Amino acid sequence: MAVMDAQNPLLGETTCGTLLQKLQEIWDEVGESDEERDKMLLQIEQECLDVYKRKVEQAAKSRAELLVTLSDAKLELSTLVSALGDKSFLGVDTVKASGTIKEQLAAIAPALEQLWKQKEERVKEFSDVQSQIQKICGEITGSANEQAGAPAVDESDLSLKKLNEYQVKLQELQKEKSDRLHKVLEFVGTVHDLCAVLGMDFFSTITEVHPSLDDKTCVQSKSISNDTLLRLAETVSALHEDKKQRLHKLQELATKLTDLWNLMDTPEEERRLFDHVTCNISASVDEVAVPGALALDLIEQAKVEVERLDQLKSSRMKELAFKRQVELEEIFAHAHIEIDPEAAREKIMALIDSGNVEPAELLADMDNQIAKAKEEALSRKEILDRVEKWMSACEEESWLDDYNRDDNRYNASRGAHLNLKRAEKARILVNKIPGMVDTLVAKTRAWEEDRGISFKYDGVPLLAMLDEYAMLRQEREEEKRRLRDQKKFGEQQNTEQEPIFGSRSTPARPASTKKVVGPRTNGTPGRRLSLSASQNGSRSTAKEGKRDSMRLAAPANFVAISKEDAASHVCGTDRSPASP
């Protein structure tokens, strides 16, 4: 047997052949039989076969184990490459597909080691990204402190594509966190400004929402959860509503203060003490940004002042009521509405002395009367303006009559050119008087039909005045024509008498050449209107001067002059002198 003949390193130079020879020598010396010898040799050969079998079985088992190891290594290599998602992994291509088992294992081992190292790094990257995602999600949901431990990494898919998906999701969450943090900071800033305006404690208000919202807390540590954002929004809304209500209350108090100051003529120095209240009387909610502008103590201070002025107003009730009565009388006077001021004042005195009416109610009633009076005056304004123009035209007509009676009006005296220009304008204006009267009558009748009452001017029906004016104007025109005829008749008589006396006498200057300052029936309604207005006792100085100038051109009793008196009066002042 070749194996038996091989040199055994344990026996030095001893081999199976030398051992068998030695055994033969022993047998020879002993004298063993051939049968015994064959038996022992057979036994030796069997034992050698058993040893070989055991060795072969061990080798086969070792080979099988190596094959399993190689298969496992290949499977693990494939799994790692698949998990990492890198088909072109450096080192996989260098693994030998042929050769001995140990050669193949030796070729796979570096690749596996490198893949394991890469897997560990990749798992760490996944763990870091997922941990950040888990943290931000916890911050958003408000359960960041409830989650414990690192997130489980799915090692079956560690590809760069999967990692990129996690990184994209992380970036989106980081952006959402940044947006939420920005919104939280905006809310916190708004709460701070509102608390400053309302005079509230910002620290206690903001920490009630979440303790991390305090200014001392790091920005990145502030809560950005849905609940925090919701509570912040509710807090801001509540503070805005509180600000709106306080501003409304403060503006009401400021309005009352201003009204009371105006009623009682409060000095400016006392008003300045509440400039911080009245400065926001017409401001919008967003315009009020001064710290403490809507503090409760400031509103209470204004409320106390209003109550104080209300009590003071009650003590000055008569003065305030009479002040309103004067205003009411002035409105009626400017509107030429006749009232009985003495009776009104006596009624006010009786109401105040009786104590049956609240001061505020009385003043409110008078304010209502003033409002109605202003409305009534506004409805009469157009007609009154036309009455003023008519009266002015009548005054110009009266002046023009005086001017026409003056025989020296064309002399080159000082100011004659001005009177000439005025006369030209007066003639144009006088020609418009009939149209003025017609328009005024139409407007007055429309006003009366609309309201169902008579339009009175200082207690006299305006239509009656206009009708009387038209009648007197017609009589005046007839009187002028009669005077012109009389003058022509007188001139004709003088012409007939001239041959008898031999020369033409120079007639004396008629009295009409001088400016007439006495009563005259020229149809001007100024006297009656001025008398009615003066009875009210509330005419302005400018209008008094106008009415005084008109008194010179109108009779003392404009209505009572009869046609005969008017005719005789004109005859007495304008007739020509008798011939000698």
Side-chain angles (χ1 to χ4, degrees):
M1 292 180 293
V3 178
M4 297 290 292
D5 294 336
Q7 183 180 357
N8 190 345
L10 297 176
L11 299 176
E13 296 298 329
T14 303
T15 63
C16 290
T18 58
L19 290 174
L20 182 59
Q21 185 179 3
K22 185 69 176 175
L23 183 61
Q24 289 290 343
E25 289 177 356
I26 295 173
W27 283 344
D28 288 340
E29 185 178 353
V30 173
E32 289 287 342
S33 63
D34 293 336
E35 182 181 355
E36 190 67 27
R37 288 183 180 187
D38 293 337
K39 183 179 179 181
M40 291 186 68
L41 288 173
L42 183 63
Q43 184 179 359
I44 291 171
E45 186 177 358
Q46 185 65 41
E47 289 178 357
C48 288
L49 288 175
D50 291 339
V51 171
Y52 276 111
K53 286 181 180 179
R54 287 197 302 271
K55 292 299 181 179
V56 170
E57 289 175 357
Q58 289 178 1
K61 184 179 180 180
S62 177
R63 183 189 63 181
E65 290 177 353
L66 287 175
L67 288 174
V68 171
T69 303
L70 179 61
S71 177
D72 291 342
K74 288 182 178 180
L75 179 61
E76 186 175 1
L77 181 66
S78 177
T79 302
L80 288 173
V81 171
S82 176
L84 294 173
D86 191 358
K87 301 297 182 181
S88 61
F89 171 71
L90 183 61
V92 174
D93 296 337
T94 62
V95 177
K96 293 182 179 180
S98 61
T100 64
I101 297 175
K102 289 186 177 181
E103 288 176 349
Q104 294 183 42
L105 284 174
I108 290 177
L112 282 175
E113 184 179 356
Q114 187 175 353
L115 287 173
W116 272 111
K117 184 178 180 181
Q118 186 174 352
K119 178 182 177 181
E120 291 177 358
E121 293 176 353
R122 193 70 60 82
V123 168
K124 186 176 182 301
E125 291 178 1
F126 270 86
S127 179
D128 292 342
V129 172
Q130 288 181 254
S131 297
Q132 295 181 55
I133 291 175
Q134 177 179 287
K135 181 181 178 182
I136 296 176
C137 289
E139 292 176 353
I140 292 175
T141 58
S143 57
N145 297 329
E146 298 176 4
Q147 298 189 15
V153 178
D154 182 12
E155 296 184 3
S156 64
D157 188 358
L158 299 175
S159 63
L160 292 175
K161 180 180 178 182
K162 189 68 174 179
L163 180 62
N164 185 60
E165 291 177 0
Y166 278 114
Q167 289 174 342
V168 170
K169 183 177 180 180
L170 177 60
Q171 291 175 357
E172 292 175 353
L173 289 172
Q174 287 174 339
K175 184 178 183 303
E176 183 178 356
K177 178 181 178 180
S178 177
D179 294 341
R180 284 171 171 263
L181 185 59
H182 181 68
K183 187 176 294 185
V184 166
L185 294 178
E186 282 186 351
F187 276 134
V188 171
T190 303
V191 171
H192 181 274
D193 295 341
L194 289 172
C195 288
V197 174
L198 298 174
M200 298 173 61
D201 183 16
F202 167 72
F203 177 79
S204 62
T205 303
I206 203 65
T207 51
E208 284 181 3
V209 177
H210 198 278
S212 67
L213 300 179
D214 181 21
D215 290 338
K216 299 178 182 179
T217 306
C218 176
V219 174
Q220 296 298 328
S221 301
K222 295 187 183 297
S223 174
I224 59 170
S225 66
N226 295 329
D227 181 65
T228 300
L229 286 172
L230 178 61
R231 295 183 64 185
L232 277 173
E234 291 174 349
T235 301
V236 170
S237 178
L239 291 175
H240 268 301
E241 184 63 26
D242 193 12
K243 180 181 179 182
K244 182 179 179 181
Q245 292 178 359
R246 290 194 189 185
L247 178 61
H248 180 68
K249 179 65 175 177
L250 189 69
Q251 288 177 339
E252 286 183 347
L253 293 172
T255 302
K256 290 181 180 179
L257 280 176
T258 304
D259 293 341
L260 290 170
W261 287 338
N262 294 336
L263 285 174
M264 295 183 287
D265 295 329
T266 304
E268 192 65 28
E269 294 76 12
E270 187 175 342
R271 299 189 184 195
R272 289 197 190 100
L273 298 176
F274 290 89
D275 282 346
H276 55 290
V277 176
T278 57
C279 66
N280 295 321
I281 192 170
S282 59
S284 64
V285 176
D286 295 334
E287 291 175 346
V288 180
V290 178
L294 299 177
L296 288 176
D297 55 348
L298 186 145
I299 296 176
E300 184 63 25
Q301 180 185 6
K303 182 178 179 181
V304 171
E305 180 65 12
V306 169
E307 292 175 353
R308 185 186 72 83
L309 292 177
D310 274 332
Q311 295 177 358
L312 182 62
K313 181 184 71 174
S314 299
S315 63
R316 297 176 58 186
M317 185 61 193
K318 292 182 180 179
E319 178 182 349
L320 297 175
F322 286 148
K323 184 177 180 180
R324 280 173 167 75
Q325 180 62 26
V326 170
E327 181 180 357
L328 187 63
E329 292 172 2
E330 289 179 353
I331 294 173
F332 283 134
H334 284 96
H336 295 276
I337 299 175
E338 191 175 48
I339 60 173
D340 188 355
E342 294 299 328
R345 292 172 184 269
E346 291 177 359
K347 182 179 179 181
I348 292 173
M349 288 289 294
L351 287 173
I352 296 175
D353 294 338
S354 65
N356 295 330
V357 62
E358 290 291 333
E361 293 180 1
L362 178 59
L363 294 179
D365 180 67
M366 297 194 70
D367 289 336
N368 189 32
Q369 294 181 34
I370 291 173
K372 290 181 178 180
K374 289 180 178 179
E375 182 180 354
E376 180 72 13
L378 184 62
S379 70
R380 296 166 58 92
K381 184 177 184 303
E382 183 182 3
I383 296 177
L384 292 177
D385 291 342
R386 293 182 180 277
V387 169
E388 291 295 325
K389 292 179 180 179
W390 168 54
M391 291 169 58
S392 297
C394 291
E395 290 179 358
E396 287 299 298
E397 184 182 27
S398 175
W399 178 87
L400 184 60
D401 288 342
D402 293 339
Y403 179 76
N404 290 334
R405 292 189 185 97
D406 188 1
D407 293 338
N408 297 323
R409 60 182 179 275
Y410 296 118
N411 294 342
S413 60
R414 184 177 181 182
H417 66 289
L418 298 178
N419 289 333
L420 182 60
K421 289 182 179 180
R422 180 179 176 182
E424 293 175 357
K425 294 180 179 179
R427 290 188 186 95
I428 296 173
L429 185 59
V430 168
N431 291 333
K432 295 179 180 180
I433 290 179
M436 290 183 181
V437 173
D438 293 341
T439 303
L440 191 55
V441 169
K443 292 285 184 181
T444 305
R445 286 177 178 171
W447 188 93
E448 291 182 349
E449 290 175 359
D450 182 54
R451 294 182 173 264
I453 57 176
S454 174
F455 189 99
K456 294 185 177 181
Y457 189 96
D458 292 335
V460 180
L462 181 58
L463 288 178
M465 293 171 57
L466 294 172
D467 292 341
E468 187 175 2
Y469 169 78
M471 180 186 67
L472 293 177
R473 182 180 178 85
Q474 183 179 2
E475 293 177 355
R476 182 167 170 269
E477 293 298 329
E478 294 176 356
E479 183 66 21
K480 284 183 178 181
R481 286 194 296 271
R482 189 183 66 80
L483 290 175
R484 285 196 298 269
D485 294 341
Q486 183 180 2
K487 185 176 181 181
K488 288 180 181 180
F489 178 76
E491 290 177 353
Q492 185 178 0
Q493 286 184 341
N494 290 336
T495 303
E496 293 175 353
Q497 292 176 0
E498 182 176 349
I500 301 175
F501 295 99
S503 64
R504 184 175 182 178
S505 61
T506 302
R509 179 177 297 178
S512 61
T513 57
K514 298 180 181 180
K515 187 170 183 179
V516 179
V517 295
R520 175 165 56 257
T521 58
N522 58 358
T524 304
R527 179 59 178 170
R528 169 189 287 177
L529 303 182
S530 63
L531 287 176
S532 301
S534 63
Q535 290 173 358
N536 290 334
S538 58
R539 183 75 52 160
S540 62
T541 305
K543 288 191 174 182
E544 282 293 343
K546 184 177 180 181
R547 298 297 181 267
D548 290 340
S549 64
M550 293 175 64
R551 290 171 188 165
L552 299 177
N557 191 348
F558 182 69
V559 181
I561 295 179
S562 63
K563 298 180 181 180
E564 293 78 5
D565 293 338
S568 62
H569 178 68
V570 172
C571 293
T573 56
D574 290 343
R575 65 173 173 267
S576 302
S579 59

